[in-house]
Amino acid sequence: MNFLEEKILVDGVIKEGNILKVDSFLNHQIDIDIMRQMAYEFKRRFSGVEVNKILTIEASGIAIATLLGHLYDVPVVFAKKSQTANSTDDKYVSQAYSFTHKKMNNVFISKPYMNATDKVLIVDDFLADGEAAHALIDLVHQAGAEVMGIGIAVEKGQQKGGSKLRSEGYHVESLAIVESMDWQTQTIKFREQPVLKLQNPNLTLG
Amino acid sequence: MNFLEEKILVDGVIKEGNILKVDSFLNHQIDIDIMRQMAYEFKRRFSGVEVNKILTIEASGIAIATLLGHLYDVPVVFAKKSQTANSTDDKYVSQAYSFTHKKMNNVFISKPYMNATDKVLIVDDFLADGEAAHALIDLVHQAGAEVMGIGIAVEKGQQKGGSKLRSEGYHVESLAIVESMDWQTQTIKFREQPVLKLQNPNLTLG
């Protein structure tokens, strides 16, 4: 079991509807030590891969992208979301459906910040159906740039995003892959791990 | 002239309507070296100030908050924005008007992530009318915690936010304070600096 799987057992909360809340250390409060370990672990897993830009999507991917940019010493770009952004000459625009917010978002990058010479490492906190990841890949390709890898903190292995990306040939590294989870027993199965019980399921309210 | 004022001269663009675009290094693409220098400079300016939590607001404050959390080795919290968030038992909720998006946002923090023992350094990329800063202060106070300082990358000195916060007794440190700017001549005056000319006003489209 790695540091992120351990952290999920200690501080994660499983909610009804296949929701894993990691608000206390990943996407509302940020545990800076976990974030640093994640950055180092991504760099280790993508060692030998040439990277000159980190790409994520606002908002909760920005923290890990920033520490990774710091570690690689390369620029970070965060794609922006908007319901209203229309395609203009100065933006690459794609679309992603948000299952959390049940709406379609436009996702865009201003053209000067993605170029044909960019070798891009995409990072994000969650991978479920792969909507955001595919939009980011689309933006990279619109710019003529190359996707060198995709680093994910928590992949929901029951959903199709990860297997789809891998079958498309992308190098995907997910630090924790949730194979199954049960909110009633607060148990979780990570890929290649036995079923484990969360230690503090009532830490987070709501 | 400091590193951030210099960077604004090289890569900033002044747009009609008193808008300073720093998309190329601060709030869309992130220049990781500038971001690191900002974190070190905030730590220097707040030296001797006790800080055990960094607070910002999504999305573009997250990058600087993360590097500052890394430097202080303390947790980072980013307040979330929502048009629909209603007040519930498990959230501190405040309001801030966004002049950029011309709408009122609810700003909230889940209660477990802000406590009466927290000594909070607030950071954000921009300070104009102080709407976001005041909402963050309100959230800190709702939790019974203490605002130890407010670190801002770019303050628009013509707008009232900075002077209001200082008159309220807050320790505000802004790395660049724009006293005035003119989009037609692409000139800018920083507080305690002569009028200076942007070097590359056409770098950013749109």
Side-chain angles (χ1 to χ4, degrees):
Chain A
M1 195 164 38
N2 70 26
F3 68 97
L4 186 59
E5 294 166 332
E6 277 177 20
K7 185 71 176 174
I8 291 168
L9 289 195
V10 175
D11 287 332
V13 178
I14 303 167
K15 312 284 277 188
E16 200 173 353
N18 203 29
I19 293 163
L20 177 62
K21 286 200 75 162
V22 290
D23 267 18
S24 66
F25 59 96
L26 204 63
N27 48 20
H28 185 8
Q29 182 168 244
I30 293 162
D31 181 314
I32 206 74
D33 188 52
I34 289 289
M35 206 53 81
R36 271 191 295 246
Q37 289 186 66
M38 283 172 49
Y40 282 112
E41 178 64 9
F42 281 131
K43 189 129 194 280
R44 190 188 69 79
R45 293 193 186 196
F46 290 107
S47 70
V49 176
E50 191 185 347
V51 171
N52 64 14
K53 192 161 279 181
I54 308 291
L55 175 64
T56 190
I57 184 166
E58 62 180 9
S60 48
I62 297 175
I64 179 63
T66 301
L67 284 184
L68 212 46
H70 172 51
L71 212 54
Y72 276 96
D73 205 18
V74 300
V76 174
V77 172
F78 58 92
K80 300 194 178 197
K81 286 182 230 174
S82 161
Q83 281 194 272
T84 52
N86 38 14
S87 195
T88 59
D89 283 353
D90 62 345
K91 290 188 183 80
Y92 301 114
V93 182
S94 190
Q95 279 79 36
Y97 183 76
S98 164
F99 289 89
T100 313
H101 299 102
K102 294 184 180 47
K103 64 178 184 189
M104 188 65 86
N105 279 311
N106 284 292
V107 178
F108 65 91
I109 300 175
S110 292
K111 287 190 177 175
Y113 312 137
M114 191 60 64
N115 310 295
T117 54
D118 284 334
K119 298 189 176 297
V120 181
L121 178 56
I122 293 173
V123 286
D124 207 356
D125 55 345
F126 266 93
L127 173 64
D129 289 280
E131 286 280 319
H134 277 102
L136 293 177
I137 290 169
D138 183 22
L139 294 174
V140 172
H141 288 166
Q142 285 182 42
E146 193 176 351
V147 175
M148 305 306 289
I150 301 168
I152 299 293
V154 182
E155 178 182 337
K156 290 169 125 181
Q158 328 95 297
Q159 286 167 262
K160 66 180 190 324
S163 57
K164 189 153 187 295
L165 289 168
R166 291 181 185 96
S167 74
E168 289 163 357
Y170 293 105
H171 178 181
V172 181
E173 292 285 351
S174 299
L175 304 188
I177 303 179
V178 178
E179 208 64 274
S180 61
M181 56 187 177
D182 181 342
W183 72 277
Q184 285 172 306
T185 57
Q186 290 289 315
T187 52
I188 192 163
K189 188 178 187 315
F190 295 113
R191 192 165 293 175
E192 288 160 30
Q193 296 282 353
V195 176
L196 299 158
K197 192 166 176 65
L198 300 199
Q199 288 171 27
N200 198 3
N202 297 315
L203 189 74
T204 309
L205 303 169
Chain B
M1 197 164 37
N2 70 27
F3 69 95
L4 186 59
E5 294 166 332
E6 277 177 20
K7 185 72 176 174
I8 291 168
L9 289 194
V10 175
D11 287 332
V13 179
I14 303 168
K15 311 285 278 187
E16 199 173 355
N18 203 30
I19 291 163
L20 176 61
K21 286 198 75 161
V22 290
D23 266 18
S24 66
F25 58 97
L26 203 63
N27 47 21
H28 186 9
Q29 181 168 244
I30 294 163
D31 181 314
I32 205 74
D33 188 50
I34 289 290
M35 205 53 79
R36 270 191 294 246
Q37 288 185 68
M38 285 172 49
Y40 282 113
E41 179 63 9
F42 281 132
K43 189 129 194 279
R44 190 187 68 77
R45 293 193 185 197
F46 290 107
S47 70
V49 175
E50 191 185 347
V51 171
N52 65 15
K53 191 162 279 179
I54 308 292
L55 175 64
T56 191
I57 185 165
E58 62 180 10
S60 48
I62 297 174
I64 179 60
T66 301
L67 284 184
L68 212 45
H70 171 51
L71 213 53
Y72 276 96
D73 204 18
V74 300
V76 174
V77 172
F78 57 95
K80 302 195 177 196
K81 286 182 230 173
S82 162
Q83 281 193 274
T84 52
N86 37 17
S87 193
T88 59
D89 283 351
D90 62 343
K91 289 188 183 80
Y92 301 114
V93 182
S94 191
Q95 278 79 37
Y97 184 76
S98 166
F99 290 89
T100 314
H101 299 104
K102 295 184 181 48
K103 64 179 183 185
M104 188 65 84
N105 279 311
N106 286 293
V107 178
F108 65 90
I109 301 176
S110 293
K111 288 191 177 175
Y113 312 137
M114 191 59 66
N115 310 296
T117 54
D118 284 335
K119 298 188 176 300
V120 180
L121 179 56
I122 293 172
V123 288
D124 208 357
D125 55 345
F126 267 93
L127 173 65
D129 290 281
E131 287 280 320
H134 277 103
L136 294 177
I137 291 169
D138 183 21
L139 295 174
V140 171
H141 288 167
Q142 284 182 42
E146 195 176 350
V147 176
M148 305 306 289
I150 301 167
I152 300 294
V154 183
E155 177 181 337
K156 291 170 126 178
Q158 329 96 297
Q159 285 168 262
K160 64 179 190 330
S163 58
K164 189 154 187 293
L165 289 169
R166 289 182 186 93
S167 73
E168 290 164 354
Y170 293 104
H171 179 182
V172 181
E173 292 286 349
S174 299
L175 304 188
I177 303 180
V178 178
E179 209 65 274
S180 62
M181 55 186 179
D182 181 343
W183 72 276
Q184 284 170 308
T185 57
Q186 290 289 314
T187 52
I188 191 162
K189 189 180 185 313
F190 295 113
R191 192 165 292 176
E192 288 159 28
Q193 295 282 354
V195 176
L196 299 158
K197 193 165 174 66
L198 299 199
Q199 290 172 25
N200 197 4
N202 296 316
L203 187 74
T204 309
L205 304 169

Coordinates of all heavy atoms in Angstrom, one line a residue, chain A residues 7 20 47-49 51 63 67 82 99 101 106 113-114 119 122 125 128 130 137 147 164 170 183 202:
Chain A
K7 N -3.2 7.3 3.1 CA -3.9 8.6 3.4 C -5.4 8.5 3.2 O -6.2 9.0 4.0 CB -3.3 9.7 2.6 CG -3.7 11.1 3.0 CD -3.2 11.6 4.3 CE -3.6 13.0 4.6 NZ -3.2 13.4 6.0
L20 N -16.0 9.3 -3.4 CA -14.9 9.3 -2.4 C -14.5 10.7 -2.1 O -14.0 11.5 -3.0 CB -13.7 8.5 -3.0 CG -12.4 8.5 -2.1 CD1 -12.7 7.8 -0.8 CD2 -11.3 7.8 -2.9
S47 N 10.0 9.0 -15.1 CA 11.4 9.2 -15.3 C 11.8 8.8 -16.7 O 11.4 7.8 -17.2 CB 12.3 8.5 -14.2 OG 12.3 7.1 -14.4
G48 N 12.7 9.5 -17.3 CA 13.1 9.2 -18.7 C 12.1 9.8 -19.7 O 12.4 9.8 -20.9
V49 N 11.0 10.4 -19.3 CA 10.0 11.0 -20.2 C 10.4 12.5 -20.3 O 10.5 13.2 -19.3 CB 8.6 10.8 -19.7 CG1 7.6 11.5 -20.6 CG2 8.3 9.3 -19.6
V51 N 9.7 16.2 -20.6 CA 8.5 17.1 -20.3 C 9.0 18.5 -20.3 O 10.0 18.9 -19.6 CB 8.0 16.7 -18.9 CG1 6.9 17.7 -18.4 CG2 7.4 15.3 -18.9
A63 N -2.8 22.7 -7.6 CA -1.9 22.5 -6.6 C -0.8 21.5 -7.0 O 0.4 21.7 -6.9 CB -2.5 22.1 -5.3
L67 N 3.4 22.1 -7.9 CA 4.5 21.4 -7.3 C 5.3 20.6 -8.3 O 6.5 20.5 -8.3 CB 4.1 20.6 -6.1 CG 3.8 21.3 -4.8 CD1 3.4 20.4 -3.7 CD2 4.9 22.2 -4.4
S82 N -15.5 27.2 -18.6 CA -16.5 28.3 -18.7 C -17.7 27.7 -19.4 O -17.6 26.8 -20.3 CB -15.9 29.4 -19.6 OG -17.0 30.2 -20.0
F99 N -19.6 15.2 -14.3 CA -20.6 14.4 -13.6 C -20.9 15.0 -12.3 O -22.0 14.8 -11.8 CB -20.1 12.9 -13.6 CG -20.1 12.2 -14.9 CD1 -19.0 12.3 -15.7 CD2 -21.3 11.6 -15.3 CE1 -19.0 11.7 -16.9 CE2 -21.3 10.9 -16.5 CZ -20.2 11.0 -17.4
H101 N -21.0 18.2 -11.4 CA -21.9 19.3 -11.5 C -23.0 19.2 -12.5 O -23.8 20.0 -12.7 CB -21.1 20.6 -11.8 CG -20.1 20.9 -10.7 ND1 -18.7 20.7 -10.9 CD2 -20.2 21.4 -9.5 CE1 -18.1 21.0 -9.8 NE2 -18.9 21.5 -8.9
N106 N -17.2 24.2 -21.3 CA -16.2 24.5 -22.3 C -14.9 24.5 -21.5 O -14.8 25.0 -20.4 CB -16.4 25.8 -23.0 CG -17.5 25.7 -24.0 OD1 -17.3 25.0 -25.0 ND2 -18.6 26.3 -23.7
Y113 N -0.1 29.8 -25.0 CA 0.4 29.0 -23.9 C 0.5 27.6 -24.2 O 0.8 26.7 -23.4 CB -0.4 29.3 -22.6 CG -0.6 30.8 -22.4 CD1 -1.8 31.3 -22.0 CD2 0.5 31.7 -22.7 CE1 -1.9 32.7 -21.8 CE2 0.3 33.0 -22.5 CZ -0.9 33.5 -22.1 OH -1.1 34.9 -22.0
M114 N 0.2 27.2 -25.5 CA 0.4 25.8 -25.9 C 0.9 25.8 -27.3 O 0.3 26.4 -28.2 CB -0.9 25.0 -25.8 CG -0.8 23.5 -25.9 SD 0.3 22.7 -24.7 CE -0.6 23.0 -23.2
K119 N 6.0 19.4 -25.0 CA 5.9 18.0 -24.6 C 5.3 18.0 -23.2 O 5.9 18.4 -22.2 CB 7.3 17.4 -24.5 CG 8.0 17.4 -25.9 CD 9.2 16.6 -26.0 CE 9.8 16.6 -27.4 NZ 8.8 16.0 -28.4
I122 N 0.2 15.9 -18.5 CA -1.1 16.2 -18.0 C -1.3 15.7 -16.6 O -0.9 14.5 -16.3 CB -2.2 15.7 -18.9 CG1 -2.2 16.4 -20.3 CG2 -3.6 15.8 -18.2 CD1 -3.2 15.8 -21.3
D125 N -6.4 15.6 -10.3 CA -6.6 15.0 -9.0 C -7.4 13.7 -9.1 O -7.1 12.7 -8.5 CB -7.2 15.9 -7.9 CG -8.4 16.6 -8.4 OD1 -8.7 16.6 -9.6 OD2 -9.2 17.1 -7.6
A128 N -12.2 9.7 -13.6 CA -13.4 8.8 -13.5 C -13.8 8.4 -15.0 O -13.2 7.4 -15.5 CB -14.5 9.5 -12.8
G130 N -13.1 10.2 -17.6 CA -12.0 10.7 -18.5 C -12.5 11.9 -19.3 O -11.8 12.2 -20.3
I137 N -6.4 16.5 -23.6 CA -5.6 15.9 -24.7 C -6.0 16.6 -26.0 O -5.1 16.9 -26.9 CB -6.0 14.4 -24.8 CG1 -5.3 13.6 -23.6 CG2 -5.5 13.7 -26.1 CD1 -5.8 12.2 -23.5
V147 N 1.3 14.8 -26.0 CA 1.0 14.3 -24.7 C 2.0 13.2 -24.3 O 2.0 12.2 -24.9 CB -0.4 13.7 -24.6 CG1 -0.7 13.1 -23.2 CG2 -1.5 14.8 -24.9
K164 N -9.9 3.4 -21.0 CA -10.0 4.0 -22.4 C -8.7 4.7 -22.8 O -8.2 4.5 -23.8 CB -11.2 5.0 -22.4 CG -11.5 5.5 -23.7 CD -13.0 5.9 -23.8 CE -13.4 6.3 -25.2 NZ -12.8 7.5 -25.7
Y170 N -2.1 5.9 -24.2 CA -1.5 6.9 -23.4 C -0.8 6.3 -22.2 O -1.3 5.3 -21.7 CB -2.5 8.0 -22.9 CG -3.0 8.8 -24.1 CD1 -4.2 8.6 -24.6 CD2 -2.2 9.8 -24.6 CE1 -4.7 9.3 -25.7 CE2 -2.6 10.5 -25.7 CZ -3.8 10.3 -26.2 OH -4.2 11.0 -27.3
W183 N -20.0 2.4 0.7 CA -20.2 3.5 1.7 C -20.8 3.0 3.0 O -20.6 3.6 4.0 CB -21.1 4.6 1.1 CG -22.5 4.3 0.9 CD1 -23.1 3.7 -0.1 CD2 -23.6 4.6 1.8 NE1 -24.5 3.6 0.1 CE2 -24.8 4.2 1.2 CE3 -23.6 5.3 3.0 CZ2 -26.0 4.3 1.9 CZ3 -24.9 5.4 3.7 CH2 -26.1 4.9 3.1
N202 N -15.9 9.4 9.7 CA -16.8 10.6 10.1 C -16.0 11.9 10.2 O -16.5 12.8 10.8 CB -17.5 10.2 11.4 CG -18.4 9.0 11.2 OD1 -19.1 9.0 10.2 ND2 -18.4 8.1 12.1

